[in-house]
Amino acid sequence: MAERNILITGGAGFIGSHVVRLFVGRYPSYRIVNLDKLTYAGNPANLADVERCPNYTFVKGDICDMESVCDLLLRYEIDGIVHLAAESHVDRSITDPFAFARTNVMGTLSLLEAARRQWDGRYDGKLFHHISTDEVYGTLGPDDTPFSETTAYDPHSPYSASKASSDHFVRAYHDTFGMPTVITNCSNNYGPYQFPEKLIPLCINNILHRRAIPVYGSGDNVRDWLYVEDHARAIDTVFHRGCPGESYNIGGGCERRNIEMVKGIIETVDRLTGKAPGTSLDLITYVADRKGHDLRYAINASKLADELGWRPKVSLDEGLERTVRWYLDNRAWTDSVTSGEYMRYYEAMYGGR
Ligand code: NAD
Ligand code: TYD
């Protein structure tokens, strides 16, 4: 019998696959059940190295299907949930907000309700850990202090509005039903297995194909970047030692303007592919700004550092180097996820550029 039975939702996606890999490797006495619908963003190949581990089980399914989720919680005697499944791309939320309300809001509610029914007030040893984003806090001016856990929610995109709503439902299940919950709000992640619709893998892929790199607006928007394995470690820390009812911010303490990031990626790719420095700078193409584009995100992660001792370990230089090397070594992975639906998406977003 397993010591614990943990459900991870969205484990075939970018961050989820790193969380599954960490938990499966680090906790051989746990059974890890990964529930994933395998949308365009979910890919079993992200977990090819994990799929035969005896403590790992994959279940294809939709978090919105509450009856099936109830069955799954019962069948595997789930006592902990790490909830990552979501629609996660801001640009897609602008063209299809309903998909975000369905998965991020209704899906989270369905998961909460299934857990409430299954756990039925027996909350000892149970935990619902909801993975959220810093984007719920809205946007900062250049001199504003970084977001803390007490910053008022002020989402602007359909994506961040849906994540904010899901956070509120998680808190409501804690406050109303006494369910032990924790929420983590993390800054922008990067690393291996990120779907190439997001800035960093999109840049790497476009440089390798000598395609234009679309920089929205002036390129002066600021993001706080965190290497994905540091996020997975933070989730592990909060899942095991976080205080129920609390939320924790997670961030890299590493703010960069988008244009600086793009230039850093170009430098790294050119160097690692043996090109002269600056070869790919000509690909930088300023395009129309994203609607409602938040200017700046920055995270104050001192609560997590002071109370639970987590700090990021991987610097931006080291993380970018590892990330670019991974994409160079795994071009078949990128090729497999950039056919079909991706090309239609890309054409609609960026046209012939
Ligand atoms: P992703 O888009 O790479 O992966 C999402 C996963 O969820 C996919 O495997 C997909 O198949 C699955 N999924 C989608 N809808 C589902 C449904 N209805 N039922 C079951 N599975 C479903 O996302 P990501 O970037 O890995 O983000 C994971 C989580 O972390 C999300 O909740 C996101 O809001 C949050 N987050 C992401 C970042 C970031 O920088 N990527 C930062 C902070 C927080
Ligand atoms: P993204 O990776 O989509 O993450 P998020 O919107 O959640 O922060 O975008 C990161 C930043 O890069 C954001 O300010 C938008 C910008 N961006 C571009 O300039 N060009 C692009 O092609 C993409 C995808 C993003």
Side-chain angles (χ1 to χ4, degrees), residues 91 94 215-221 223 258 286-295 349 353:
D91 291 323
I94 295 168
V215 175
Y216 298 164
S218 61
D220 288 329
N221 301 67
R223 297 293 181 265
N258 289 340
Y286 290 92
V287 300
D289 209 354
R290 174 186 276 171
K291 291 187 175 74
H293 196 176
D294 287 335
L295 177 66
M349 268 301 290
R353 272 190 278 263

Side-chain angles (χ1 to χ4, degrees), residues 21-215:
R21 184 172 294 103
L22 178 69
F23 274 58
V24 166
R26 188 159 186 190
Y27 303 106
S29 60
Y30 292 7
R31 172 162 50 192
I32 305 300
V33 179
N34 171 13
L35 173 67
D36 199 298
K37 185 181 174 184
L38 299 181
T39 67
Y40 78 93
N43 185 351
N46 295 359
L47 289 165
D49 55 327
V50 169
E51 67 190 4
R52 286 200 176 73
C53 294
N55 60 335
Y56 173 69
T57 304
F58 175 71
V59 177
K60 184 169 189 255
D62 188 337
I63 55 165
C64 299
D65 179 355
M66 195 176 68
E67 295 308 321
S68 300
V69 175
C70 282
D71 289 349
L72 186 150
L73 297 183
L74 180 66
R75 180 160 20 108
Y76 292 105
E77 299 176 64
I78 296 295
D79 52 35
I81 298 175
V82 183
H83 174 38
L84 297 108
E87 291 293 339
S88 69
H89 190 38
V90 173
D91 291 323
R92 288 185 192 253
S93 81
I94 295 168
T95 48
D96 187 7
F98 280 91
F100 285 69
R102 179 183 182 275
T103 295
N104 300 357
V105 183
M106 293 308 289
T108 300
L109 180 56
S110 139
L111 203 56
L112 283 164
E113 181 57 19
R116 185 176 80 86
R117 290 186 191 179
Q118 238 20 256
W119 293 344
D120 195 22
R122 298 179 304 272
Y123 286 134
D124 229 26
K126 310 288 198 302
L127 186 68
F128 188 107
H129 182 167
H130 178 58
I131 309 303
S132 191
T133 168
D134 60 355
E135 302 189 27
V136 298
Y137 298 121
T139 186
L140 293 168
D143 300 321
D144 290 342
T145 51
F147 302 130
S148 75
E149 288 79 0
T150 54
T151 302
Y153 276 31
D154 184 22
H156 297 126
S157 71
Y159 165 67
S160 53
S162 69
K163 292 296 290 188
S165 172
S166 65
D167 291 11
H168 290 318
F169 271 109
V170 173
R171 277 198 191 89
Y173 268 64
H174 173 269
D175 295 349
T176 307
F177 303 115
M179 183 183 289
T181 62
V182 283
I183 300 174
T184 45
N185 296 87
C186 189
S187 64
N188 285 62
N189 283 215
Y190 67 100
Y193 299 108
Q194 187 166 32
F195 194 77
E197 62 187 354
K198 305 276 166 67
L199 179 67
I200 291 184
L202 185 132
C203 274
I204 297 172
N205 192 38
N206 283 16
I207 296 167
L208 295 176
H209 288 92
R210 292 278 315 149
R211 270 205 299 261
I213 299 172
V215 175

Side-chain angles (χ1 to χ4, degrees), residues 149 237-238 241-244 246-248 301-311:
E149 288 79 0
T237 301
V238 173
R241 296 194 286 115
C243 180
E246 292 292 316
S247 71
Y248 299 86
S302 60
K303 178 176 173 180
L304 186 52
D306 296 347
E307 293 183 11
L308 303 180
W310 175 91
R311 282 175 187 79

